[in-house]
Amino acid sequence: MSEIKKRLSVILESPNQKAEDQLRKICHLLDQEKDYFNWTGFYFRNGDKEELVIGPYVGAKTDHTVIPFGKGICGQVAVSNETFVVPDVSLQDNYLSCSIDTKSEIVVPIFKDGKNIGQIDIDSHKTDPFTKEDREMLEWLCGEVAKIL
Ligand code: SME
């Protein structure tokens, strides 16, 4: 297991913690460990409504605290159920800008009991920075996060 997965596991496995606090710690760890992760946060489905609400995050304050399904990269992942890697956000029409500094983004869905309940969203100030290993690590992480929710 990679070093970062081990450190994420320590957070995920620590007992007597609120899930929200664990998610916040996960955001902080990823933000510290990856210099090109410049906004790291979670969005979750708002009950039965077709919208996402923001969860714990690390990074600049965003106006996008509620995102309707289908809107932006996050809203598209809520519908597609698939990881969405955007190497260059300027080439995306259906994109909600959080910061003018953001050049790229990756959004990975979280499934609980087969349902898409939310996602992790990472913005970068670099163009095309996300590696195959990042994607694999984040997909693993979302699987582990589902277990504590
Ligand atoms: N860029 C996202 C919106 C969320 S912010 O990046 C935090 C999108 O297009 O859905």
Side-chain angles (χ1 to χ4, degrees):
M1 193 186 261
S2 67
E3 198 52 41
I4 197 156
K5 281 188 187 171
K6 281 187 204 153
R7 294 181 61 190
L8 289 163
S9 297
V10 170
I11 298 171
L12 288 156
E13 286 160 15
S14 28
N16 307 323
Q17 281 196 91
K18 284 200 288 188
E20 195 180 326
D21 294 335
Q22 288 168 288
L23 296 181
R24 189 165 292 107
K25 286 180 185 167
I26 287 167
C27 293
H28 279 286
L29 176 61
L30 292 174
D31 182 71
Q32 275 165 19
E33 289 305 306
K34 300 269 178 179
D35 58 355
Y36 52 91
F37 285 17
N38 303 119
W39 191 99
T40 300
F42 290 91
Y43 282 92
F44 290 100
R45 185 175 183 158
N46 186 9
D48 286 338
K49 290 193 192 157
E50 298 211 325
E51 64 183 26
L52 298 162
V53 285
I54 201 161
Y57 70 91
V58 172
K61 204 164 174 289
T62 173
D63 289 340
H64 303 296
T65 53
V66 178
I67 300 178
F69 277 25
K71 297 273 187 233
I73 309 304
C74 296
Q76 290 178 78
V77 169
V79 177
S80 72
N81 302 323
E82 278 173 16
T83 296
F84 197 166
V85 185
V86 182
D88 182 349
V89 294
S90 73
L91 304 176
Q92 285 290 323
D93 291 336
N94 190 357
Y95 166 68
L96 301 169
S97 175
C98 247
S99 149
I100 48 160
D101 296 322
T102 298
K103 300 272 196 325
S104 57
E105 180 161 2
I106 180 169
V107 178
V108 178
I110 300 169
F111 298 99
K112 176 103 186 158
D113 302 326
K115 289 200 185 100
N116 186 341
I117 59 157
Q119 50 193 240
I120 192 166
D121 175 19
I122 292 155
D123 291 357
S124 177
H125 297 169
K126 271 177 80 177
T127 303
D128 198 11
F130 302 112
T131 64
K132 207 162 62 74
E133 289 73 26
D134 291 335
R135 179 186 177 136
E136 191 274 326
M137 179 271 290
L138 293 169
E139 289 177 343
W140 169 86
L141 172 63
C142 286
E144 296 300 305
V145 161
K147 296 179 191 167
I148 64 161
L149 297 175

